[in-house]
């Protein structure tokens, strides 16, 4: 995760000393195991999969990596960028982990998102002398991650950094490009992450939360970091984070498709279909919050006056992601994750039955969205957004587990279902 800090290290004395750096105190190494090794949404998936990694069969080449939940995908951040999380505390001891496979698994996760703006969050607590990768592995990992992976990473947040990480950065700062160096951010307390991403959507390990509480408790009252701000009570005209059924009841015309979706899709249909990389770029977070506040205050939002395609695209994704229940609903989670087991001859019929079982508001909104995305894909020679690319962007915004976070093993089936829905939308919605 911090491989960009480690250019070709070689075998000089500094490298040898770094290898001996103490990463955590003995006390830190004695934290209890996480309360639950698996998320609730994953343990509910299907008895056809082993409970250790329910979305991958036991003989899958990456089963032994996925089951640890070291790497997760956690929706979008406050800027509309995909969030990839790396949990150091979930790395088992050296002899229990194939580090080469871990590297390939990380690359497999990033490969789905490197063409879009994305954010990396690295929870450093729990990396010890027993589970830390060798410096030679970090050097090899750095070589693996070429410009393709670095170009669109907009920020790397290192949470709970230790002297080990800080020393690496100091020693090798001259070798790190100035451009990438500006993307590295130290985060001392979890509350500081709220400015970047809603921590509720991150499945933060219990060990990390306990460690954060311990750090805060050790500070003098005058030095206490700010706590995460409490959630504001909903405004009378709240739109974001409100159930679709409630929005329909409030709509003067009883339209089942929410106004945010109508506004953004109408504007994007007019001005965004030929925009290269539509839905892949982030937007100014201040403007995003301003637009959200205007909607939540009952004001009319005119995207045509703002003329910002990427802003409208981020608002659409943010609206979907902030729904209290995903558009495809928790009820269909297991069916969708296991959809790959349906024979190709029956997929359209099964998919049609699934979407038609949705509440009326969800079905209408899904049809409205997918019909629009089919238009986007029809212009893929110009905008570069094929059905596969759109599925990667929208899959995590259409369905997620009850704990919000998803490992690579969970997100693959969801994205595949979304791609198939886009491919067959003319048959599914007839």
């Amino acid at each position: 995760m911090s491989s960009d800090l480690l250019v070709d290290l070689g075998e000089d004395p500094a490298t040898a000393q770094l290898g001996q750096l103490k990463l955590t105190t003995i006390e830190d190494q004695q934290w209890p195991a996480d309360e639950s090794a698996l998320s609730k949404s994953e343990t509910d998936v299907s008895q056809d999969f082993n409970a250790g990694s329910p979305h991958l069969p036991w003989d899958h080449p990456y089963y032994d990596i996925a089951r640890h939940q070291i790497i997760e995908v956690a929706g979008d951040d406050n800027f509309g960028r995909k969030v990839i999380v790396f949990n150091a505390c979930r790395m088992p001891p050296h002899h229990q982990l194939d580090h080469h496979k871990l590297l390939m698994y990380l690359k497999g996760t990033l490969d789905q998102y490197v063409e879009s703006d994305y954010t990396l969050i690295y929870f450093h607590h729990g990396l010890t002398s027993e589970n830390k990768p060798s410096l030679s592995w970090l050097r090899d990992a750095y070589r693996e991650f070429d410009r393709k992976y670095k170009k669109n990473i907009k920020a790397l947040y290192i949470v709970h950094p230790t002297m080990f990480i800080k020393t690496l950065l100091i020693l090798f700062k001259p070798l790190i490009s100035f451009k990438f160096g500006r993307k590295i951010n130290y985060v001392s307390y979890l509350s500081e992450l709220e400015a970047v991403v809603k921590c509720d959507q991150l499945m933060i390990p219990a060990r990390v939360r306990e460690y954060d509480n311990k750090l805060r408790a050790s500070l003098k009252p005058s030095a206490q970091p700010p706590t995460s701000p409490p959630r504001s009570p909903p405004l009378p005209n709240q739109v974001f984070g409100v159930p679709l059924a409630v929005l329909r009841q409030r709509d003067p015309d009883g339209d089942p498709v929410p106004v945010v979706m109508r506004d953004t899709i109408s504007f994007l249909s007019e001005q965004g279909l030929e925009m290269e990389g539509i839905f892949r770029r982030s937007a100014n977070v201040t403007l995003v919050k301003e637009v959200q506040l205007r909607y939540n205050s009952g004001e009319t939002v005119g995207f045509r006056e703002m003329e910002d395609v990427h802003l409208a695209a981020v608002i659409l994704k943010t609206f979907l992601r902030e729904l209290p229940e995903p558009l495809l609903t928790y009820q269909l989670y297991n069916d969708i994750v296991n959809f790959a087991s349906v024979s190709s001859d029956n997929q359209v019929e099964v998919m049609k039955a699934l979407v038609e079982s949705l509440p009326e508001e969800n079905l209408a909104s899904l049809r409205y969205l997918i019909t629009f995305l089919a238009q986007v894909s029809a212009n893929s020679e110009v905008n570069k957004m094929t059905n596969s690319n759109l599925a990667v962007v929208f899959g995590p915004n259409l369905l997620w587990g009850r704990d919000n976070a998803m490992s690579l093993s969970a997100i693959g089936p969801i994205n595949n279902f979304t791609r198939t829905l886009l491919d067959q939308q003319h048959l599914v919605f007839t």
Side-chain angles (χ1 to χ4, degrees):
M1 191 67 174
S2 55
S3 58
D4 284 288
L5 307 181
L6 303 172
V7 293
D8 191 354
L9 303 181
E11 297 299 331
D12 57 19
T15 298
Q17 292 176 4
L18 283 171
Q20 300 301 317
L21 278 176
K22 189 177 183 181
L23 303 187
T24 59
T25 65
I26 294 297
E27 182 180 5
D28 288 340
Q29 295 182 33
Q30 295 175 346
W31 284 96
D34 287 344
E35 296 168 358
S36 174
L38 291 173
S39 65
K40 180 182 185 300
S41 61
E42 292 193 352
T43 55
D44 287 342
V45 173
S46 172
Q47 294 181 354
D48 293 335
F49 293 105
N50 185 286
S53 183
H55 303 304
L56 293 180
W58 68 269
D59 57 350
H60 190 281
Y62 289 114
Y63 167 84
D64 56 333
I65 303 297
R67 67 189 181 92
H68 295 294
Q69 292 186 295
I70 300 167
I71 302 164
E72 296 175 319
V73 181
D76 295 351
D77 65 13
N78 297 341
F79 303 84
R81 308 178 297 217
K82 199 62 62 183
V83 177
I84 312 297
V85 178
F86 191 105
N87 299 296
C89 69
R90 290 183 172 155
M91 292 178 64
H94 304 297
H95 65 279
Q96 296 179 18
L97 183 67
D98 184 328
H99 284 81
H100 175 72
K101 277 190 177 181
L102 174 63
L103 177 59
M104 294 302 103
Y105 188 70
L106 177 58
K107 288 184 67 176
T109 303
L110 296 180
D111 279 339
Q112 300 182 64
Y113 304 106
V114 292
E115 297 302 325
S116 307
D117 294 349
Y118 70 100
T119 294
L120 282 175
I121 297 178
Y122 169 56
F123 290 112
H124 180 64
H125 174 69
L127 190 71
T128 70
S129 57
E130 283 75 25
N131 68 356
K132 71 168 183 173
S134 66
L135 287 174
S136 61
W137 181 87
L138 292 172
R139 178 191 60 208
D140 293 341
Y142 174 80
R143 292 170 174 168
E144 285 283 344
F145 290 102
D146 54 25
R147 185 176 181 275
K148 179 181 80 169
Y149 298 92
K150 300 170 187 174
K151 181 178 67 172
N152 289 328
I153 178 174
K154 297 305 176 183
L156 165 60
Y157 295 95
I158 302 174
V159 184
H160 299 144
T162 62
M163 186 60 66
F164 172 73
I165 290 293
K166 292 181 178 181
T167 302
L168 285 176
L169 183 59
I170 293 172
L171 289 179
F172 299 104
K173 188 173 182 179
L175 303 178
I176 301 171
S177 72
F178 175 75
K179 187 175 182 180
F180 187 83
R182 293 176 61 185
K183 300 177 181 181
I184 302 170
N185 302 273
Y186 288 144
V187 178
S188 299
Y189 305 96
L190 293 178
S191 58
E192 297 173 8
L193 273 181
E194 287 287 344
V196 180
V197 63
K198 294 178 177 61
C199 286
D200 286 350
Q201 76 186 57
L202 302 177
M203 197 169 64
I204 301 175
R207 288 178 62 184
V208 174
R209 289 190 180 277
E210 291 179 25
Y211 180 68
D212 189 75
N213 291 336
K214 179 182 176 182
L215 288 179
R216 296 173 67 95
S218 67
L219 296 175
K220 296 180 180 179
S222 59
Q224 283 288 329
T227 57
S228 300
R231 289 188 177 277
S232 303
L235 299 171
N237 297 298
Q238 186 88 21
V239 173
F240 286 81
V242 175
L244 294 178
V246 175
L247 295 178
R248 183 181 186 180
Q249 291 172 358
R250 290 182 188 168
D251 191 273
D253 302 317
D255 196 322
V257 180
V259 63
V260 176
M261 294 184 67
R262 299 199 306 267
D263 288 351
T264 53
I265 289 176
S266 174
F267 171 71
L268 293 171
S269 296
E270 293 178 7
Q271 300 193 26
L273 294 181
E274 296 187 353
M275 173 69 70
E276 182 173 345
I278 181 176
F279 296 118
R280 281 181 164 171
R281 301 280 79 88
S282 51
N284 183 292
V285 70
T286 302
L287 290 178
V288 171
K289 291 181 177 179
E290 179 183 319
V291 169
Q292 286 183 287
L293 180 59
R294 289 174 64 182
Y295 271 120
N296 288 337
S297 301
E299 299 179 25
T300 300
V301 176
F303 288 103
R304 291 170 182 81
E305 288 73 32
M306 290 182 275
E307 297 184 335
D308 190 334
V309 168
H310 296 306
L311 175 62
V314 168
I315 290 294
L316 174 59
K317 291 190 296 179
T318 301
F319 174 79
L320 293 171
R321 184 68 199 185
E322 292 193 2
L323 287 172
E325 183 173 4
L327 190 60
L328 288 172
T329 71
Y330 294 130
Q331 184 175 346
L332 296 187
Y333 184 87
N334 291 353
D335 295 307
I336 289 174
V337 166
N338 293 317
F339 183 75
S341 63
V342 178
S343 66
S344 57
D345 293 339
N346 296 325
Q347 284 191 347
V348 171
E349 180 182 353
V350 172
M351 182 172 285
K352 188 177 179 69
L354 288 175
V355 300
E356 288 179 352
S357 72
L358 290 168
E360 188 174 344
E361 300 82 12
N362 297 63
L363 176 57
S365 299
L366 181 66
R367 180 189 291 113
Y368 192 78
L369 173 66
I370 296 299
T371 300
F372 160 65
L373 294 182
Q375 292 180 278
V376 175
S377 180
N379 289 272
S380 61
E381 288 191 8
V382 179
N383 60 39
K384 310 302 182 186
M385 295 303 290
T386 62
N387 283 346
S388 294
N389 293 337
L390 289 169
V392 168
V393 172
F394 278 92
N397 293 311
L398 294 178
L399 184 66
W400 55 86
R402 291 184 184 274
D403 49 34
N404 287 304
M406 290 182 288
S407 64
L408 178 60
S409 56
I411 206 166
I414 292 172
N415 290 350
N416 288 337
F417 178 89
T418 306
R419 190 201 67 243
T420 304
L421 180 59
L422 289 166
D423 290 341
Q424 306 295 341
Q425 58 88 24
H426 60 291
L427 298 175
V428 173
F429 294 109
T430 55

